[in-house]
Amino acid sequence: QVQLVESGGGLVQPGGSLRLSCAASGSISVIYDMGWYRQAPGKQRELVVVITYGGNTNYTPSVKGRFTISRDNAKNTMYLQMNNLKAEDTALYFCNAQIRSLSAQSRLYWGQGTQVTVSS
């Protein structure tokens, strides 16, 4: 059984910062690509950023220069440092990861989401 659990969301003022974490646990063999997505009320889920096992990244233009993704493969954990937050960053943030379990099956897993609200 593999699980992804996000944490670190909350309420922050415009211009503030938050750090999200996504921890994978369970019968894990390898974690390949990982990513952060977000979904604002009334909108479709959108990609924020992805990071490969080797550390290559791809950011959506609206967060470039403000958000930084990283991962600690030894801890099976991914992070998203979000600086200079704007009201339009308000959304439910999800992490996902392509994981090969110890049973050798590989599939995409999703976390349950963590709410980020940017408001004064």
Side-chain angles (χ1 to χ4, degrees), residues 1-5 22-31 73-77 99-105 109:
Q1 189 79 4
V2 174
Q3 284 187 322
L4 292 179
V5 178
C22 172
S25 63
S27 303
I28 297 169
S29 176
V30 180
I31 302 178
N73 291 331
K75 296 182 178 179
N76 290 337
T77 301
I99 296 175
R100 179 155 59 91
S101 66
L102 293 177
S103 66
Q105 292 181 329
Y109 292 86

Side-chain angles (χ1 to χ4, degrees), residues 14-112:
S17 298
L18 283 174
R19 189 192 194 209
L20 305 184
S21 298
C22 172
S25 63
S27 303
I28 297 169
S29 176
V30 180
I31 302 178
Y32 300 105
D33 293 359
M34 304 182 79
W36 288 99
Y37 288 73
R38 64 187 180 185
Q39 187 167 17
K43 295 187 177 181
Q44 290 188 332
R45 189 175 299 189
E46 65 171 356
L47 171 68
V48 177
V49 58
V50 294
I51 184 168
T52 66
Y53 179 83
N56 293 319
T57 60
N58 185 24
Y59 292 88
T60 193
S62 64
V63 307
K64 278 185 178 179
R66 300 189 297 122
F67 290 11
T68 303
I69 191 172
S70 61
R71 61 188 288 174
D72 184 334
N73 291 331
K75 296 182 178 179
N76 290 337
T77 301
M78 172 178 64
Y79 306 95
L80 183 65
Q81 178 66 42
M82 305 187 294
N83 297 328
N84 191 21
L85 282 160
K86 304 176 180 181
E88 51 263 42
D89 295 317
T90 295
L92 187 60
Y93 283 70
F94 299 88
C95 67
N96 76 358
Q98 188 72 30
I99 296 175
R100 179 155 59 91
S101 66
L102 293 177
S103 66
Q105 292 181 329
S106 179
R107 54 158 282 196
L108 187 66
Y109 292 86
W110 287 88
Q112 82 289 348

